[in-house]
Amino acid sequence: MITSELNSWSDLLSNEIQKPYFQLLNNKLKTFFSSRNLNVFPAENEVFNAFKLCDFNQLKVIIIGQDPYPTEGHAHGLSFSVREHIKPFPKSLNNIFKALSNDLNQPPPVHGDLTHWAKQGVLLLNTILTVEEGRPDSHKGIGWEQFTNAVIQKISSEKQHLVFLLWGSKAQAKRDLIDHSKHLVLEAVHPSPLSAYRGFYDCKHFSKTNNYLNKNNISTIKW
């Protein structure tokens, strides 16, 4: 299911997807998607959109999310992103846009589809890539974490001068997978309404990201 979708990521991840745990994961996904009794998000052809839409050779920024939105029509394979027609925005995404406006003094985006970030080199990576309708974290522990941990470790090793944005404790748990001597790691509370008031709105991660990229002669992100 995955090999034809990795595109520029194939060389980096080809060994990983041959491992027994990933073959078991792949078999589980086939069962889930073929079941008439389960609604699994995102759609099967969008599960690996984070990789399909962000070219490995252009990678600059990694934003680590948790698992897809469990609401029908919302998730499309990019962390925090929703399809263009979805209104109102999910609360976490709305708070991301508030922080963006505060930081860069620009109006918030008119839609919640973050594909334009991905195409500029922002990997919008959930640590768990699938979910069942109405059941957050329902695919926790089926193998996704091992895969996405390997992704984070491999890109930290292979690349330099990346920016990792770790929002909330689950994303921050990945900090030890990253070589801090080669990359910029920015941490803040999660943009959820339960925690965003504790400093997320003023974290200035968007300008800090672009300042770091600019300092290293890398083209900046048009947020």
Side-chain angles (χ1 to χ4, degrees):
M1 183 171 88
I2 183 175
T3 49
S4 64
E5 301 186 3
L6 280 172
N7 302 326
S8 61
W9 294 82
S10 295
D11 289 344
L12 187 78
L13 297 177
S14 56
N15 288 336
E16 198 66 28
I17 64 176
Q18 299 304 320
K19 292 181 179 178
Y21 87 88
F22 193 89
Q23 298 303 310
L24 288 173
L25 169 61
N26 209 22
N27 289 337
K28 288 175 185 174
L29 293 174
K30 289 176 183 176
T31 300
F32 294 153
F33 280 112
S34 63
S35 171
R36 294 183 178 179
N37 299 319
L38 283 180
N39 275 343
V40 176
F41 308 137
E44 188 172 2
N45 66 344
E46 295 178 323
V47 171
F48 298 101
N49 264 357
F51 303 101
K52 290 159 70 175
L53 296 172
C54 176
D55 191 309
F56 176 73
N57 300 309
Q58 303 299 320
L59 182 63
K60 303 171 188 176
V61 182
I62 300 89
I63 299 179
I64 298 176
Q66 297 175 7
D67 63 340
Y69 296 115
T71 304
E72 186 166 8
H74 283 210
H76 63 127
L78 304 176
S79 62
F80 296 106
S81 181
V82 291
R83 299 177 192 278
E84 188 170 331
H85 68 278
I86 297 297
K87 295 284 180 68
F89 302 143
K91 292 178 181 178
S92 291
L93 180 59
N94 197 52
N95 287 338
I96 290 170
F97 288 163
K98 284 183 182 178
L100 174 61
S101 294
N102 288 346
D103 186 3
L104 302 181
N105 194 29
Q106 67 183 42
V110 295
H111 62 76
D113 184 345
L114 303 181
T115 297
H116 63 295
W117 290 6
K119 289 185 174 180
Q120 295 178 76
V122 180
L123 181 67
L124 293 156
L125 181 68
N126 280 317
T127 54
I128 300 168
L129 300 190
T130 52
V131 71
E132 293 169 24
E133 182 173 15
R135 298 184 59 212
D137 258 357
S138 50
H139 286 182
K140 180 179 180 181
I142 68 170
W144 280 130
E145 296 93 335
Q146 187 172 347
F147 174 68
T148 53
N149 282 355
V151 170
I152 294 166
Q153 250 176 335
K154 287 173 184 287
I155 59 180
S156 172
S157 174
E158 293 287 324
K159 295 280 195 175
Q160 60 180 354
H161 304 317
L162 300 177
V163 183
F164 290 83
L165 303 184
L166 309 183
W167 297 336
S169 59
K170 290 187 178 180
Q172 289 160 14
K174 310 299 181 185
R175 65 168 70 88
D176 292 342
L177 302 172
I178 304 163
D179 186 341
H180 293 234
S181 69
K182 295 169 58 181
H183 308 291
L184 176 65
V185 179
L186 298 174
E187 300 186 16
V189 295
H190 195 272
S192 160
L194 298 175
S195 55
Y197 66 93
R198 291 190 281 113
F200 183 79
Y201 296 126
D202 298 312
C203 67
K204 300 190 181 302
H205 280 186
F206 305 96
S207 60
K208 288 176 181 177
T209 293
N210 277 349
N211 289 342
Y212 178 82
L213 295 174
N214 190 52
K215 184 175 119 180
N216 288 285
N217 299 312
I218 301 166
S219 59
T220 56
I221 305 299
K222 295 178 182 177
W223 301 106

